[in-house]
Amino acid sequence: MSASPSTRRVLAAVLAAGALVGAAAVPAAAHDDDRHGHRGRHSSIVIGDVRHDGHGHGHDTRALNREWVEVKNTGRHAVNLHGFTLTDRDGNRYRFNRLRLDGRSSVRVHTGSGRDTRSDVYQDRRHQVWDERDTATLRDDRGNVVDTETWGRRGHHDDRRR
C-alpha cells in the first residue's frame, strides 16, 4: 500500500516540526543545569541560611551555638546525610553521622556543643568556625560538591543562581 503524495508531504511536515521542537529543547535543558552554579546537578540538598559570629567570642558555648549553617532538603523524599561533609574556607570539616533529613525539612549545624536532634546538630568545637568572609561547602558521601554558599564584606552573598 502506497501513500498519496499529499499524505507524504503532511507526514514529512509533521516529522520536520517534531525535529525542530526536539532540537530547541536540548539547549534549554543544558541552560537549566548551568543556572545552578555550585549546586549539585540533581540534588534536593542545599545550604540555606547561614549565621556567623563576626566578633569571634572564643570559648562562649552559647555564642558558638548561635553560629550555624542550615542544610535543607527541598525535595519530597528523605535523604540520608551519613558521610556528607560541611567545610569552611580554612578546611574545618564537619561530617554528618546517621542523620536522615526528611523531605522539605532542614537541620542547623551549630559550631558549639549540644545534644544532636533531627533539627539541630553540633560540631562540638571550642572556637568560631565561620568568619565574616567565608564559604560553606557541602559535599555528598562521595566527595562531590552538592552546594556552596559564600558571604563577605559587603553583606550576605549567595553563589547559587536561581
Side-chain angles (χ1 to χ4, degrees):
M1 173 161 119
S2 160
S4 70
S6 61
T7 303
R8 279 187 252 152
R9 278 192 292 267
V10 169
L11 181 59
V14 168
L15 291 174
L20 287 174
V21 169
V26 172
H31 175 71
D32 187 45
D33 283 346
D34 292 340
R35 72 184 170 91
H36 294 297
H38 295 284
R39 188 170 167 202
R41 187 170 206 161
H42 296 290
S43 180
S44 63
I45 305 299
V46 298
I47 295 173
D49 290 334
V50 175
R51 294 279 168 95
H52 61 87
D53 182 8
H55 303 295
H57 292 294
H59 299 288
D60 181 2
T61 300
R62 288 189 323 188
L64 290 173
N65 285 342
R66 286 191 299 262
E67 178 179 90
W68 48 261
V69 173
E70 178 186 45
V71 176
K72 296 172 69 173
N73 181 353
T74 61
R76 293 186 332 211
H77 304 287
V79 174
N80 184 355
L81 295 182
H82 182 78
F84 277 55
T85 58
L86 184 64
T87 57
D88 72 342
R89 205 180 271 179
D90 294 330
N92 293 302
R93 182 175 69 169
Y94 172 77
R95 181 179 299 275
F96 286 89
N97 187 24
R98 286 181 252 152
L99 178 68
R100 186 173 175 87
L101 190 57
D102 291 333
R104 295 190 177 100
S105 66
S106 64
V107 62
R108 288 182 178 174
V109 180
H110 298 271
T111 300
S113 300
R115 189 176 67 85
D116 291 350
T117 66
R118 296 184 99 177
S119 59
D120 296 278
V121 295
Y122 298 85
Q123 296 187 49
D124 297 328
R125 295 185 184 272
R126 295 183 180 184
H127 296 283
Q128 174 187 0
V129 171
W130 308 106
D131 300 322
E132 286 183 1
R133 296 176 64 193
D134 214 335
T135 299
T137 302
L138 182 66
R139 296 179 189 273
D140 66 15
D141 59 344
R142 294 181 178 175
N144 300 313
V145 173
V146 173
D147 199 11
T148 61
E149 178 80 17
T150 299
W151 58 94
R153 197 177 337 178
R154 293 182 225 134
H156 188 75
H157 173 71
D158 185 353
D159 266 351
R160 290 170 285 166
R161 295 159 193 42
R162 290 188 187 202

